[in-house]
Amino acid sequence: MDTTELKNKFTEIYGESKEQIHAFFAPGRVNLIGEHTDYNGGYVLPCALDYGTYLLVRKCDKKHISLTTTEFEYAPTIPLDLIHEKHGQEWVNYPLGIIDQFRKLNSQLQTGAELLFSGTIPHGAGLSSSASIEMVTAVALNDIFSFGHSLVELIQLSQRAENDFVGMNCGIMDQFAVGMGRENHAVFLDTDTLDYELVPVKLKDHKLIISNTNKQRKLTDSKYNERRTECEQALEHLNKEGQAFKNLGKIEYTQFQKVQERIPDPVLQKRARHVITEDKRVIAATQALNSGDLETFGRLMNESHDSLRDDYEVTGKELDTLVDEARKLEGVLGSRMTGAGFGGCTVSLVRAEATEAFISQVGKNYEAKTGLKPEFYTTLIRDGAKKINI
Ligand code: GLA
């Protein structure tokens, strides 16, 4: 649905009014490298996508807010004094979580509002449709109610909305990429300090292809939280002998090798090793991207996936099959899972002329091995969340 159609849909749902309709867009994200490091104070390197969430919003003089989306039927109108209650597992918990966080910062909605969302991010693909809804709501309400929060504050409150209101214990990567992304740039972010740098993504005659396993991700949240706990336990063991590592992310690998025996459980040791080696790979990959060395970048993507498969154990048959089939093809420089894992998508760096062969060959072989039909997106890197004209 384009923005003119959306505007028509908005007035069809909510009717005409003297109040102005404002429009916003927040993208989804793909992470190029640096997986499961963001809750360990490590580095990440995501980019914002051209897929994302539109939000049309208008103030109204009633004491309620109305939430509608072009994607789901559930469209409640909620009195302002009840907007801080959770609605089961419904999509509205994302915008409501944002309103709740604004309230905690003393930024209260002064009037009611009417909202229409419309998303283009494939659901359950791990391309951050939730961070996209959160950030588009945060940027929009901050603008129309003149709350005056900075973009970094909006990013942080969006993460808290997901942690506290929705109940998913995510790190800050997704909201940061969705907020700070820039066209044709990746965001090199230190998740400990929130220092970041925009890194030009010059792919020359290559493309990034996102491949969706289309596997239903059922256990993602519980497995994700389990990995977080394992990292906390590994850090506790490392700090047993009076050492005070702040987080796993910033431990040097050589230092880790000297102290890893303090972690008695080999599984916890592997989890820590992934985080620590992945962090080094993000730094090396960022340097490779800066110097236009795509071969090295691709190799690091492969190493990242292998570490997520063997040490962190968050891949599974579908992601591994997609990656294995991709790597068999001429013209594929690197391929890895992206996002939380257990399903969702891979990202591959592919010579432009091999794109068609990639889609047909990988598609055919993956389907033959898993019985699932994959989907492919040749994505563009776009700007982060912003106000748009309609
Ligand atoms: C999910 C989370 C992120 C991050 C990734 C793994 O996308 O939302 O915060 O932890 O998984 O890198």
Side-chain angles (χ1 to χ4, degrees), residues 115-133:
L115 295 88
L116 170 62
F117 292 85
S118 185
T120 59
I121 306 172
H123 289 288
L127 301 176
S128 286
S129 54
S130 39
S132 177
I133 301 182

Side-chain angles (χ1 to χ4, degrees), residues 18-60:
K18 292 193 300 299
E19 285 285 351
Q20 195 190 336
I21 301 171
H22 303 267
F24 300 83
F25 176 79
R29 69 93 190 91
V30 63
N31 189 20
L32 300 182
I33 194 162
E35 223 63 82
H36 290 277
T37 50
D38 68 342
Y39 49 85
N40 286 301
Y43 298 106
V44 291
L45 190 68
C47 354
L49 297 174
D50 48 352
Y51 294 93
T53 312
Y54 292 90
L55 168 58
L56 269 56
V57 57
R58 186 171 73 186
K59 286 185 191 171
C60 68

Side-chain angles (χ1 to χ4, degrees), residues 179-329:
M180 292 291 182
R182 180 82 55 83
E183 185 165 9
N184 295 329
H185 287 75
V187 184
F188 173 65
L189 169 69
D190 179 336
T191 60
D192 185 26
T193 59
L194 296 191
D195 288 339
Y196 74 101
E197 209 179 287
L198 293 172
V199 183
V201 180
K202 294 198 193 109
L203 296 179
K204 296 178 247 177
D205 45 358
H206 296 78
K207 279 191 187 309
L208 286 172
I209 303 181
I210 297 177
S211 313
N212 189 347
T213 58
N214 272 328
K215 180 192 175 194
Q216 291 301 318
R217 299 187 307 161
K218 288 207 188 82
L219 286 170
T220 310
D221 291 8
S222 59
K223 289 271 179 208
Y224 183 90
N225 290 341
E226 186 183 295
R227 290 296 177 280
R228 278 197 78 140
T229 310
E230 288 171 341
C231 288
E232 283 158 21
Q233 289 169 344
L235 184 64
E236 243 171 65
H237 286 298
L238 291 176
N239 280 338
K240 250 186 327 217
E241 291 175 25
Q243 206 130 11
F245 295 115
K246 187 174 169 204
N247 46 45
L248 287 182
K250 297 292 158 47
I251 302 177
E252 287 291 327
Y253 187 56
T254 45
Q255 203 175 8
F256 174 66
Q257 283 171 311
K258 286 185 206 138
V259 293
Q260 61 184 344
E261 296 307 323
R262 285 184 201 161
I263 308 175
D265 179 349
V267 172
L268 294 187
Q269 252 186 48
K270 290 203 298 183
R271 304 296 189 248
R273 187 168 61 211
H274 164 72
V275 174
I276 291 161
T277 56
E278 182 78 349
D279 232 40
K280 268 165 59 106
R281 282 186 288 270
V282 184
I283 295 170
T286 305
Q287 281 162 357
L289 203 56
N290 268 321
S291 58
D293 182 357
L294 295 182
E295 298 282 339
T296 300
F297 194 86
R299 182 177 49 74
L300 290 160
M301 289 172 83
N302 288 341
E303 287 176 16
S304 165
H305 183 87
D306 297 351
S307 174
L308 288 156
R309 180 192 60 212
D310 302 334
D311 277 353
Y312 218 63
E313 299 181 277
V314 291
T315 57
K317 180 181 174 202
E318 292 77 9
L319 286 166
D320 289 338
T321 305
L322 262 187
V323 159
D324 291 346
E325 292 306 323
R327 289 184 192 169
K328 282 183 195 161
L329 279 189

Side-chain angles (χ1 to χ4, degrees), residues 70-85:
T70 56
E71 290 165 88
F72 305 106
E73 299 223 323
Y74 189 65
T77 286
I78 311 167
L80 283 182
D81 49 359
L82 293 179
I83 47 179
H84 306 295
E85 283 171 21

